[in-house]
Amino acid sequence: ATVEPWLEGVLGGLAAACTGENKEGGGEGEEEKEGTKADASSLAKDLEETLVVSPESTAAKAPIEIEPSRQPTQSQSPTPLFVLYGSATGNAEHMAKDLAASYQTALQSSPTAYFPSVTCCPLNDYKKKCLDVWSAPPASPAAKHGVLFLCSTTGNADAPENADRFVRWLKRKSTEPTRPFRHCAYAVLGLGDSNYDVFCAVGKLIDRKVGELGGTRARSVACADEATGLEEVVEPWVTGVLDDLARVCGGL
């Protein structure tokens, strides 16, 4: 009962302001005014129907929704969003693939998002699917390629099997002079268990080494703890990291 009159009034007032209508007079005819009011009333009705939430719909927790990164510059990135994962039990892999699939789906309704597509793969596929792109400078000097790393720690602070070659490459002395991430902006989500002596060792190592190898950090490394609940860190990271990454990649 409160939403409809408020929406109708505010939309009508906003439409009037945007078209130059005011109380003292103006050049708009009566028919055009009536049309503006009718449009506002119709939109208010549509929005009120959309905003109605039934008690049943709040009974279950809604899944995390991924929105495409907002476009920070006048043009899109010429390269995709890269989402790479290292996973021993499947958690990091599932999160990475879910994020990538959700972003790709959201692109259908927001085709002007900063990253025009997404590439998702294990960390050990970096050379085959990513390195050539990362090494090439973007068209704009201020722009960067966007990379997200999601990686768990296994055993005695070891990398998962599908990330071990990538981690060895990061640590190799011969990699340092090439500065392979100098054209990249990145963010890292580490998964671990604080019941072990070393917590999120691999995620922290990736965050540190990528920065040392020229990468621009879009946000600090996030460490999700399986002992207390991964979702406490994962959910806010997933919902906010794309905007942070797009801003840095766009040179803002």
Side-chain angles (χ1 to χ4, degrees), residues 143-163:
K144 303 284 184 183
H145 307 299
V147 189
L148 298 179
F149 300 100
L150 296 84
C151 192
S152 62
T153 298
T154 185
N156 186 25
D158 297 323
E161 193 172 313
N162 59 1

Side-chain angles (χ1 to χ4, degrees), residues 221-251:
V221 58
C223 296
D225 188 355
E226 191 168 358
T228 59
L230 296 172
E231 68 279 355
E232 293 183 5
V233 172
V234 172
E235 291 186 9
W237 187 86
V238 167
T239 55
V241 71
L242 291 176
D243 280 345
D244 290 345
L245 188 66
R247 279 193 293 271
V248 177
C249 288

Side-chain angles (χ1 to χ4, degrees), residues 102-118:
S102 298
Y103 186 85
Q104 192 66 53
T105 299
L107 279 174
Q108 297 175 10
S109 59
S110 184
T112 59
Y114 184 67
F115 299 107
S117 61
V118 58

Side-chain angles (χ1 to χ4, degrees), residues 200-237:
C200 278
V202 179
K204 293 174 182 177
L205 182 143
I206 290 173
D207 178 71
R208 176 172 57 84
K209 292 300 294 182
V210 172
E212 291 175 357
L213 294 171
T216 300
R217 189 179 287 105
R219 63 159 56 185
S220 300
V221 58
C223 296
D225 188 355
E226 191 168 358
T228 59
L230 296 172
E231 68 279 355
E232 293 183 5
V233 172
V234 172
E235 291 186 9
W237 187 86

Side-chain angles (χ1 to χ4, degrees), residues 93-189:
E93 179 177 0
H94 174 75
M95 292 172 188
K97 288 182 175 180
D98 187 57
L99 188 156
S102 298
Y103 186 85
Q104 192 66 53
T105 299
L107 279 174
Q108 297 175 10
S109 59
S110 184
T112 59
Y114 184 67
F115 299 107
S117 61
V118 58
T119 295
C120 182
C121 63
L123 281 160
N124 280 351
D125 286 350
Y126 74 96
K127 187 177 292 186
K128 179 170 59 176
K129 297 186 177 181
C130 310
L131 195 55
D132 287 345
V133 176
W134 295 347
S135 302
S140 169
K144 303 284 184 183
H145 307 299
V147 189
L148 298 179
F149 300 100
L150 296 84
C151 192
S152 62
T153 298
T154 185
N156 186 25
D158 297 323
E161 193 172 313
N162 59 1
D164 55 359
R165 290 198 307 274
F166 175 78
V167 171
R168 288 198 299 270
W169 173 68
L170 289 181
K171 297 162 69 175
R172 199 174 296 148
K173 288 185 178 180
S174 59
T175 304
E176 187 173 350
T178 67
R179 292 178 58 81
F181 297 101
R182 64 192 181 279
H183 301 304
C184 298
Y186 71 98
V188 178
L189 173 65

